[in-house]
Amino acid sequence: RVAAAATSRSSAVRYMSTSAVSPWAGFEMGPPDPILGLSHAFHEDPSHLKIIVGVGAYRDDHGHPFVLPCVREAERIVMSEGNDHEYLGIAGDADFIDLALKFAYGDDSAPLMENRVAGVQSLSGTGGLRVMGELLKNHGHSHIYVPNPTWGNHIPIFKNSGLEVRKYHYYDAKKSDLDFDNLIKDMKDMPEGSCILLHACAHNPTGMDPNMEQWKEISKVAMERNLVPFFDCAYQGFASGNAAEDAAAIRMFVEDGHNIALVQSFSKNFGLYGQRVGCLSVVAANEDEAKRVESQMKMVIRPMYSNPPRYGARLITTVLADPKLSSDFIVECKDMADRINRMRGLLRSELEAAGSTRSWDHITHQIGMFCYSGLTAEEVTALKEKHHVYCTLDGRISMAGVTSGNVNYIAHSIHDVTEG
């Protein structure tokens, strides 16, 4: 009987292994991420000429990852404190949130002094966007307007939050300039009370920002249409080299009386890409409203990821709470911005020196990490296949990947695929 039972079990196992269908059998292979997939293709390329200018992470002039010296010092301080690794609360590190809000809104911000800003620590900008998307969906919003074009991840983030994503005019590709008149026209046609996503500075992917006069008009129309401005601020301090200047649109909207929402990322300006540190905030009408909004934020966060990580927030808190380190950060952040701007000038001059018949003025008119080059998908493909230069299919070039050592090669490669 024992032998018969063993034989029966063995037959059953063989039957299951050959006949049973895996519960995952119907899963299709997802498409590669347009940016992370680009990195994979780059690493697989055996050419010694290969250059990647697609990933949005700062590099020094040797093409190496860069850790800010003030962050290194903050690491030393944090490690010397003997901190534990206990959970943070759902909202995150209170000291970090306080400093992050002052960094964006300003030390003299009226809403901050009146305790009517609800703020939580988020999983960088991406996590804050996702929380805000769900918060909007839970409280009466069915759609959100985003600029066309916008950061590629905005659209799936908001769709996955349950919102319909609508687009408004932002960039005129033929003129390589802000499509301001159509932007304003689209805003005037938005249903009253709609949420509109705005890039606070260094618009991704175009690098083309409104000037302050244009921001004033955007604020005016948003107020007239009772729109809800939601700022995505991923490059404060990194865009112009001046944190207050990069936050000027945010502060103007608040001064104009808007109850804005704001998500901040500290990946680019502090170089803390892998630490996922951000802050999500809402300017409320009064202190009681702010408390209620924060409670709703926490209700979204708790079942989503419970609470945020501690280490990156500790580093930023250490820097922003220390006058010397804060001063160092301002200088170091400006150094990064200045290098990017130097590369813009060099790339443009190298293209012009190569005899290009195209206008490349927009390279130096844009700001921030990215250059929206105007290259077509076909030209981008040729750039990769002929010259092993990798950028995203929409022609967005990460200026952080351009160095004094490779700018000539990149310029001549672009010239070849655009003039050949």
Side-chain angles (χ1 to χ4, degrees):
R1 286 197 300 270
V2 172
T7 300
S8 176
R9 286 195 299 271
S10 177
S11 298
V13 169
R14 284 199 302 272
Y15 175 79
M16 289 178 65
S17 65
T18 58
S19 303
V21 176
S22 165
W24 325 118
F27 280 42
E28 296 180 357
M29 178 64 70
D33 182 89
I35 296 179
L36 300 182
L38 190 74
S39 297
H40 177 75
F42 169 78
H43 288 299
E44 293 292 309
D45 187 343
S47 173
H48 70 281
L49 297 171
K50 65 181 180 180
I51 298 169
I52 187 164
V53 285
V55 180
Y58 182 77
R59 297 291 182 260
D60 65 19
D61 200 44
H62 301 288
H64 299 145
F66 178 70
V67 179
L68 276 66
C70 67
V71 170
R72 281 290 189 221
E73 177 60 16
E75 287 181 316
R76 187 194 65 76
I77 293 170
V78 168
M79 293 303 292
S80 72
E81 291 173 341
N83 294 300
D84 58 41
H85 296 285
E86 293 297 299
Y87 288 121
L88 282 171
I90 298 171
D93 185 320
D95 291 336
F96 162 75
I97 295 167
D98 179 63
L99 290 165
L101 296 181
K102 288 177 180 175
F103 185 65
Y105 293 100
D107 290 331
D108 59 349
S109 168
L112 287 181
M113 291 189 287
E114 294 163 5
N115 297 316
R116 56 184 180 91
V117 180
V120 293
Q121 183 182 335
S122 64
L123 302 182
S124 198
T126 301
L129 288 161
R130 183 64 176 79
V131 170
M132 191 64 199
E134 191 164 322
L135 196 70
L136 290 168
K137 178 64 176 176
N138 291 349
H139 294 275
H141 287 264
S142 60
H143 61 268
I144 186 169
Y145 284 90
V146 302
N148 185 25
T150 193
W151 178 48
N153 217 17
H154 279 145
I155 294 170
I157 287 170
F158 292 128
K159 281 185 176 178
N160 288 352
S161 301
L163 296 171
E164 176 194 351
V165 178
R166 302 177 182 178
K167 298 178 181 179
Y168 62 89
H169 283 87
Y170 187 84
Y171 189 75
D172 186 332
K174 291 181 179 178
K175 297 180 179 178
S176 296
D177 202 356
L178 189 69
D179 191 2
F180 185 70
D181 290 343
N182 283 319
L183 185 160
I184 293 297
K185 181 180 181 298
D186 285 353
M187 286 184 66
K188 290 180 177 178
D189 290 338
M190 292 177 187
E192 187 173 347
S194 295
C195 184
I196 178 173
L197 183 77
L198 301 164
H199 295 226
C201 62
H203 179 273
N204 181 1
T206 71
M208 193 66 70
D209 291 347
N211 59 40
M212 291 313 295
E213 184 178 336
Q214 290 170 328
W215 273 121
K216 193 69 178 176
E217 180 66 14
I218 293 169
S219 174
K220 176 176 174 288
V221 175
M223 187 67 75
E224 290 171 351
R225 297 298 302 153
N226 194 31
L227 303 179
V228 180
F230 179 19
F231 281 94
D232 184 352
C233 185
Y235 300 94
Q236 187 185 353
F238 188 93
S240 68
N242 183 312
E245 182 179 327
D246 292 343
I250 295 168
R251 297 176 187 185
M252 173 198 288
F253 271 62
V254 173
E255 289 170 6
D256 288 348
H258 292 280
N259 291 336
I260 70 165
L262 166 67
V263 63
Q264 300 164 258
S265 167
F266 292 89
S267 296
K268 306 294 193 299
N269 50 8
F270 276 80
L272 293 171
Y273 305 98
Q275 299 301 332
R276 314 310 295 146
V277 190
C279 185
L280 173 66
S281 59
V282 166
V283 176
N286 52 58
E287 185 174 357
D288 178 67
E289 183 175 277
K291 290 178 179 177
R292 287 185 277 117
V293 171
E294 183 182 333
S295 74
Q296 292 296 321
M297 288 176 171
K298 292 195 285 189
M299 288 179 67
V300 172
I301 290 169
R302 177 57 172 157
M304 186 183 290
Y305 58 85
S306 195
N307 47 24
R310 302 195 77 135
Y311 184 65
R314 278 175 170 157
L315 295 179
I316 293 168
T317 300
T318 301
V319 172
L320 293 181
D322 184 286
K324 171 65 167 59
L325 291 179
S326 290
S327 178
D328 291 345
F329 165 75
I330 291 168
V331 173
E332 292 160 15
C333 198
K334 188 175 188 305
D335 285 345
M336 292 192 291
D338 287 348
R339 192 189 86 75
I340 292 287
N341 288 331
R342 284 195 302 274
M343 292 305 106
R344 286 186 179 278
L346 277 175
L347 181 60
R348 176 182 168 181
S349 63
E350 290 282 358
L351 281 162
E352 291 170 347
S356 178
T357 58
R358 291 190 184 187
S359 171
W360 299 101
D361 294 358
H362 56 282
I363 294 177
T364 50
H365 292 165
Q366 296 167 0
I367 191 172
M369 183 171 284
F370 300 110
C371 163
Y372 210 49
S373 67
L375 296 177
T376 66
E378 292 76 16
E379 290 165 343
V380 168
T381 301
L383 194 65
K384 177 180 70 174
E385 293 178 352
K386 289 183 65 177
H387 300 285
H388 307 276
V389 177
Y390 290 75
C391 70
T392 54
L393 206 58
D394 60 359
R396 188 194 78 169
I397 292 173
S398 173
M399 294 304 301
V402 181
T403 70
S404 56
N406 67 23
V407 64
N408 179 271
Y409 180 77
I410 292 171
H412 280 80
S413 299
I414 292 173
H415 178 67
D416 179 63
V417 302
T418 56
E419 302 284 338

